[in-house]
Amino acid sequence: MENKLRLSELNNRVKGVLQDAFPTAVWVIAEISEMKVNRSGHCYMVLVEKDEDSDEVLAQARGTIWSYTFRMLRPFFETTAGQPLSEGMKVLVNATVEFHPLYGFSLNIRDIDPTYTMGDMARKRLEVVNRLKDEGVFEMNKELELPLVPQKIAVISSSTAAGYQDFHNQLNKNAYGYRFYTHLFPALMQGNQASESIIAALEHIYLYEDFFDVVVIIRGGGSQLDLSCFDDYELAFHITQFPLPVITGIGHEKDDTISDMVAHTRMKTPTAVAEFLIAGVMQFDVHLDELQQEFVNSVEDILAESRQRLDSAVKTLKPVVQQLLFNRQKKLSRYGWQLESSVSEILRNNEYRLSRKKDEIKELSGRIIHDNRYKLDEYRHFISRASAHQLEEGKSKLDNLLEKLKGQSKSRFSAEKNHLLLAEKRKELLNPLNILKRGYSITYHNGNALKETAQLQEGDEVRTLLKDGTFTSRVLNKENKSSKK
């Protein structure tokens, strides 16, 4: 209990021990687990060591690169190693061991050896290649048969990449007028998320595998930076398993990425990919021309051979045909003479028969005309008698109809006359003047015929119409039937 220490005293002692144990900087092998650059330009890292078999973290420490040092280390490392510092990268750093009483243990990084990282990257690349070969998939995409005329192309690239524009222009403005259909499946082409983005694009294309002929992965640009995504095992594995031929044109010439190695065909640039596709169509076009010429030549050879055989056959058959024609001509002459004799005999016989038939027809026609003329006279007398009888009957019916019509008209006229006289009498009875003659009168009030006492007031003047004139009177009082009751 007598050796009690404050925490600050303990930390200061630890600091002193570390300074004594590590008076100078040391080289440390570690993996960058986390990395962050703040606004001031300082770089803060979390360095770890992992078990190679289980990938378990065995040790961890904070690392710091101050802004002044980081501004010099960063470009040197990226230029030499060919890619930027990033999480997951294995590095060899030169650092001083520090212990701050408040912030604890950390490494102050002074230098980074890019050759170690390059060696580790090469080792990882080799491990990925060997893994793919051990799994038996390294050559699978190369074993696919490239279509004779690949014209429907699925493109994986960034929509704003200059390489994509170069590829599109080169492909669709070719000097031969070949037509291609392209569809862009956009993806990230650099950075930590690039491999996942490209895999997602491949999975999208897989849904339309029956439509497209090939897949093209193009990036554009000649820098070696940010190409580590194309060495990713998962991306390479997806390319090997893809059911369509994959053509790469990532735009670098120094080294091949693993994606280039497993792809069906690797071209240097996007423009070279376009030229490759155009050349494929042109080769097929030339092959068609060659086949056409071979066909024409074969047909010409066959025709020439047939012509020779025909000429030979003509020479062989000509004497035989001439003899056959001569024999046939003799037969025809003999047949002609026989036919002429037969025809003359037939004509003479037919002429005699025709003369007899003519006499028979003339005699028969006379009899037919005589019989028909007798029948015609009989029909004429019959029609004359029948017409006179029908005319007499029609005249009798017409007279009866006229008498009947006269009787009906007279009866109808009498009825209409009585109806008219009755209407005139009814009109005479309804005439107001005749009603007045029987002692009735009509009283008017304000020009209207008076029908009810309710229309009058005491003192009103009324005008009364009689059969021989009118007179005016004034109402002194009035009574109606209801008041009498």
Side-chain angles (χ1 to χ4, degrees):
M1 295 295 292
E2 295 180 355
N3 295 328
K4 297 188 293 292
L5 297 174
R6 295 179 181 276
L7 180 59
S8 60
E9 292 175 344
L10 176 62
N11 285 349
N12 285 328
R13 286 189 183 185
V14 172
K15 179 180 179 181
V17 172
L18 288 176
Q19 287 178 348
D20 292 339
F22 302 98
T24 60
V26 293
W27 288 96
V28 180
I29 298 173
E31 180 181 321
I32 302 174
S33 176
E34 298 179 16
M35 177 177 170
K36 182 179 181 182
V37 180
N38 67 7
R39 295 181 180 179
S40 302
H42 304 308
C43 178
Y44 298 98
M45 297 180 177
V46 176
L47 303 174
V48 298
E49 179 185 352
K50 294 181 180 179
D51 184 86
E52 293 183 357
D53 297 328
S54 63
D55 207 33
E56 179 183 357
V57 177
L58 302 177
Q60 178 175 312
R62 292 185 296 105
T64 305
I65 308 177
W66 303 116
S67 60
Y68 176 77
T69 305
F70 189 63
R71 282 197 299 270
M72 293 185 296
L73 286 181
R74 187 176 193 175
F76 172 73
F77 179 89
E78 292 180 351
T79 303
T80 306
Q83 68 176 34
L85 281 168
S86 60
E87 297 174 354
M89 182 179 290
K90 203 167 185 178
V91 292
L92 175 62
V93 299
N94 183 261
T96 59
V97 180
E98 296 184 356
F99 188 88
H100 193 278
L102 182 60
Y103 301 109
F105 177 80
S106 66
L107 297 176
N108 184 11
I109 299 172
R110 306 288 184 85
D111 195 5
I112 302 177
D113 185 1
T115 58
Y116 177 84
T117 302
M118 292 171 63
D120 184 68
M121 291 170 55
R123 179 184 60 81
K124 288 183 178 179
R125 277 168 50 91
L126 183 60
E127 290 177 353
V128 172
V129 171
N130 290 335
R131 181 180 176 184
L132 293 170
K133 288 182 178 180
D134 292 340
E135 293 173 350
V137 299
F138 192 82
E139 300 287 337
M140 285 187 67
N141 196 259
K142 297 180 185 295
E143 294 173 357
L144 297 175
E145 185 177 356
L146 192 69
L148 291 176
V149 186
Q151 290 184 291
K152 293 178 288 187
I153 303 160
V155 183
I156 299 178
S157 180
S158 171
S159 60
T160 58
Y164 170 67
Q165 300 299 329
D166 294 340
F167 168 81
H168 190 272
N169 292 334
Q170 186 74 16
L171 191 67
N172 292 292
K173 296 181 180 179
N174 62 85
Y176 308 100
Y178 299 140
R179 293 181 177 272
F180 296 87
Y181 171 81
T182 61
H183 186 82
L184 176 64
F185 293 84
L188 299 175
M189 303 307 290
Q190 64 183 31
N192 295 332
Q193 305 298 321
S195 60
E196 295 180 4
S197 180
I198 297 172
I199 290 172
L202 285 171
E203 291 176 347
H204 193 185
I205 297 171
Y206 178 74
L207 301 176
Y208 307 96
E209 64 166 314
D210 294 334
F211 177 78
F212 290 104
D213 297 325
V214 295
V215 177
V216 170
I217 302 176
I218 53 178
R219 180 179 180 274
S223 174
Q224 294 292 320
L225 299 176
D226 299 325
L227 295 179
S228 61
C229 63
F230 294 100
D231 291 327
D232 181 71
Y233 167 79
E234 292 295 333
L235 175 58
F237 184 80
H238 273 77
I239 292 176
T240 63
Q241 300 298 301
F242 206 73
L244 296 176
V246 178
I247 304 172
T248 58
I250 299 175
H252 59 99
E253 302 181 8
K254 186 177 180 181
D255 297 308
D256 286 342
T257 65
I258 296 177
S259 296
D260 290 322
M261 296 178 186
V262 298
H264 184 281
T265 304
R266 182 262 183 185
M267 305 303 295
K268 293 180 180 180
T269 62
T271 303
V273 174
E275 290 293 342
F276 173 76
L277 295 172
I278 295 170
V281 179
M282 182 176 65
Q283 183 178 1
F284 181 76
D285 199 10
V286 171
H287 182 61
L288 286 180
D289 291 339
E290 292 175 352
L291 291 176
Q292 181 181 0
Q293 189 60 43
E294 289 179 4
F295 177 77
V296 171
N297 293 337
S298 299
V299 172
E300 289 178 349
D301 292 341
I302 293 172
L303 290 175
E305 184 179 354
S306 299
R307 191 178 294 111
Q308 291 178 357
R309 291 180 180 178
L310 184 62
D311 292 341
S312 177
V314 167
K315 291 178 180 179
T316 303
L317 294 174
K318 187 175 181 180
V320 178
V321 172
Q322 288 178 345
Q323 183 63 38
L324 288 174
L325 290 175
F326 177 75
N327 294 335
R328 290 291 177 88
Q329 189 173 3
K330 288 175 62 178
K331 288 183 179 181
L332 287 174
S333 298
R334 185 168 64 253
Y335 290 155
W337 179 81
Q338 294 176 355
L339 180 63
E340 183 177 358
S341 300
S342 300
V343 168
S344 299
E345 182 65 24
I346 291 170
L347 288 175
R348 285 195 297 270
N349 294 334
N350 287 339
E351 185 176 358
Y352 172 73
R353 291 177 183 176
L354 183 62
S355 177
R356 289 185 59 188
K357 290 291 183 183
K358 187 186 298 182
D359 294 338
E360 291 176 0
I361 290 172
K362 184 175 180 180
E363 182 180 355
L364 181 61
S365 298
R367 289 200 301 270
I368 291 172
I369 292 172
H370 179 269
D371 293 342
N372 287 336
R373 183 177 296 154
Y374 176 75
K375 289 181 180 180
L376 183 62
D377 290 338
E378 287 184 347
Y379 288 150
R380 186 185 302 116
H381 291 304
F382 175 76
I383 291 171
S384 178
R385 289 194 301 271
S387 298
H389 178 68
Q390 288 181 356
L391 182 61
E392 187 66 26
E393 287 183 355
K395 183 177 180 182
S396 176
K397 288 181 180 180
L398 183 60
D399 292 338
N400 292 335
L401 288 175
L402 287 175
E403 290 296 329
K404 187 177 180 180
L405 181 60
K406 287 179 181 180
Q408 290 178 352
S409 299
K410 185 176 181 181
S411 176
R412 182 65 180 272
F413 179 75
S414 177
E416 291 296 331
K417 183 177 179 181
N418 293 333
H419 182 70
L420 182 60
L421 291 174
L422 183 61
E424 287 180 355
K425 289 181 179 181
R426 188 181 294 111
K427 178 182 177 183
E428 186 69 23
L429 291 173
L430 294 176
N431 191 339
L433 295 178
N434 293 330
I435 293 173
L436 293 176
K437 290 178 181 179
R438 294 200 299 270
Y440 293 96
S441 65
I442 301 174
T443 302
Y444 293 90
H445 178 249
N446 294 331
N448 298 318
L450 190 61
K451 298 179 180 180
E452 298 177 350
T453 58
Q455 296 177 261
L456 296 175
Q457 300 291 335
E458 293 182 359
D460 289 344
E461 286 187 356
V462 295
R463 184 170 62 86
T464 302
L465 176 64
L466 300 175
K467 69 174 183 177
D468 57 350
T470 62
F471 66 89
T472 301
S473 58
R474 186 180 299 275
V475 178
L476 297 180
N477 56 26
K478 64 176 183 177
E479 292 181 357
N480 54 28
K481 293 181 180 181
S482 59
S483 62
K484 288 181 179 183
K485 293 179 181 180

